[in-house]
Amino acid sequence: EVQLVESGGGSVQAGGSLGLSCAASGFAFGDSDMAWYRQAPGNECELVATRSTDGVTYYADSVKGRFTFSQDNAKKMANLRMNNLQAEDTAVYYCAALPPTGLYFGSVCPGDFGHWGQGTQVTVSS
């Protein structure tokens, strides 16, 4: 059974930090592009960060310099460290395992291909 289980969401004041973790099982973790997406109420699904199978990491401009993506293939974990959080970072965050053939750019999270977690809420108060 394929599973992606996120943990680490919660509430924090602006300027604070949170770390999200994604534990994967049931599929070839090392053969997937791992990604973090988020969706805030009224907004479309947004790609936050992703790492390709060859180790290239991409960050959305809105989080560059504040968020750090890390991955442990041996433990099948993908993590997102979020520093200097702002109110606009408030959203449900989703971990996704996508095929190397392409990322998801649909309007709704979770997407309709690849594997997705259930989502974890991050709330930042100003």
Side-chain angles (χ1 to χ4, degrees):
E1 180 187 5
V2 172
Q3 281 193 318
L4 288 173
V5 180
E6 300 107 337
S7 60
S11 298
V12 66
Q13 290 190 328
S17 299
L18 282 174
L20 304 182
S21 294
C22 174
S25 61
F27 65 96
F29 184 81
D31 292 341
S32 300
D33 286 354
M34 297 303 299
W36 286 94
Y37 286 80
R38 66 186 180 187
Q39 187 159 26
N43 288 4
E44 294 193 344
C45 183
E46 178 187 12
L47 174 63
V48 176
T50 184
R51 176 170 291 179
S52 64
T53 54
D54 56 4
V56 177
T57 305
Y58 161 87
Y59 296 96
D61 287 343
S62 58
V63 307
K64 202 172 293 182
R66 300 187 297 122
F67 289 15
T68 303
F69 184 107
S70 63
Q71 184 169 325
D72 186 329
N73 286 355
K75 295 182 179 178
K76 297 186 178 181
M77 297 284 296
N79 307 301
L80 188 68
R81 181 65 183 174
M82 305 182 294
N83 294 327
N84 191 21
L85 283 159
Q86 304 299 315
E88 53 265 34
D89 296 316
T90 295
V92 178
Y93 284 70
Y94 296 87
C95 174
L98 301 169
T101 51
L103 296 170
Y104 174 75
F105 292 107
S107 60
V108 177
C109 294
D112 57 4
F113 68 88
H115 309 301
W116 292 71
Q118 78 285 358
T120 186
Q121 178 70 46
V122 170
T123 302
V124 184
S125 57
S126 56

